[in-house]
Amino acid sequence: MKRLFNNTVLLGLLSILLLSACNNDQTYADRLNEERNAVNAFLANHRVVMSVPEDSIFEVGEDAPYYRLDADGNVYMQVLNAGDRKNDKVKTGETIYFRYSRYSLSTWYADGTWIIYSGNENTMDAASCSFNYADYTLPSSSQWGYGLQYPLLFLGVECEVNLVIKSQYGFTNEISYVMPFFYHVRYYHSQI
């Protein structure tokens, strides 16, 4: 799984480098710096724990801290509902449905506005989205990026989280935008 993800990230980064070479206004390094500033500005308003608890027991609720999930700080998670961590762990290849809203942290950082960038959380007319957990060979799974699947390494399937995801771990067709997002996500076993 990690090798497939690394190959996907490598291809995405190469695409970014090619696209940024054509943009005289802003370099890739400039975009990464803006992304880091937006994420840091958001996290400055919250408690942040720089690692996952060794016992994987997370604080839960709207006042819970944001946990850094990876060593490079590409994904931060606030647990709103941990689900049943012991009896409801995801299985590799299992279809997981989710509802989400996502907001551009770049827009928030630039002008302070929270605008829903995309999602299906607030309308039951829209179908639930899904992925096959840890199967990045399927475009239907890889399109969402690695960040949305990350919480399921630690939590039960029926969990609810807030996430901060940098572009490298976000939607694969948007990696070149170098735009971080704030997500509110609920995961399910069945389509809702």
Side-chain angles (χ1 to χ4, degrees):
M1 174 175 97
K2 192 147 183 116
R3 193 171 102 220
L4 286 171
F5 171 72
N6 288 338
N7 289 340
T8 303
V9 170
L10 180 60
L11 288 173
L13 290 175
L14 288 174
S15 299
I16 292 169
L17 291 174
L18 289 173
L19 289 172
S20 66
C22 300
N23 182 351
N24 294 330
D25 297 339
Q26 201 174 40
T27 67
Y28 179 64
D30 292 337
R31 289 180 183 178
L32 286 175
N33 191 44
E34 283 181 8
E35 178 180 56
R36 185 181 66 250
N37 290 340
V39 168
N40 288 344
F42 176 80
L43 293 174
N45 296 315
H46 302 278
R47 276 189 308 138
V48 176
V49 175
M50 297 306 284
S51 62
V52 172
E54 287 186 30
D55 57 5
S56 292
I57 305 294
F58 295 89
E59 286 184 52
V60 176
E62 292 183 13
D63 294 327
Y66 279 81
Y67 293 92
R68 185 178 72 178
L69 297 186
D70 71 308
D72 296 325
N74 289 306
V75 182
Y76 293 84
M77 173 180 73
Q78 180 185 45
V79 181
L80 302 174
N81 176 351
D84 185 349
R85 293 176 280 224
K86 291 182 181 177
N87 300 312
D88 194 20
K89 294 297 286 181
V90 66
K91 295 169 187 61
T92 299
E94 179 180 357
T95 300
I96 299 297
Y97 296 92
F98 64 97
R99 289 202 169 269
Y100 75 100
S101 292
R102 72 178 180 143
Y103 307 80
S104 167
L105 285 177
S106 296
T107 302
W108 168 81
Y109 182 64
D111 62 22
T113 58
W114 283 108
I115 299 170
I116 293 179
Y117 197 85
S118 67
N120 62 357
E121 177 180 41
N122 295 321
T123 176
M124 294 311 282
D125 295 343
S128 295
C129 299
S130 67
F131 54 78
N132 287 54
Y133 181 72
D135 187 350
Y136 294 99
T137 61
L138 298 172
S140 60
S141 294
S142 65
Q143 70 178 335
W144 304 109
Y146 189 67
L148 274 176
Q149 295 189 31
Y150 224 125
L152 296 176
L153 286 171
F154 310 103
L155 305 174
V157 172
E158 302 280 329
C159 64
E160 179 179 3
V161 297
N162 287 329
L163 297 170
V164 172
I165 300 178
K166 289 185 179 178
S167 57
Q168 294 92 334
Y169 279 45
F171 291 9
T172 55
N173 68 338
E174 296 178 352
I175 291 174
S176 64
Y177 301 153
V178 192
M179 187 183 304
F181 284 95
F182 170 85
Y183 291 78
H184 177 250
V185 188
R186 292 174 292 149
Y187 300 90
Y188 305 99
H189 283 289
S190 60
Q191 189 168 359
I192 293 180

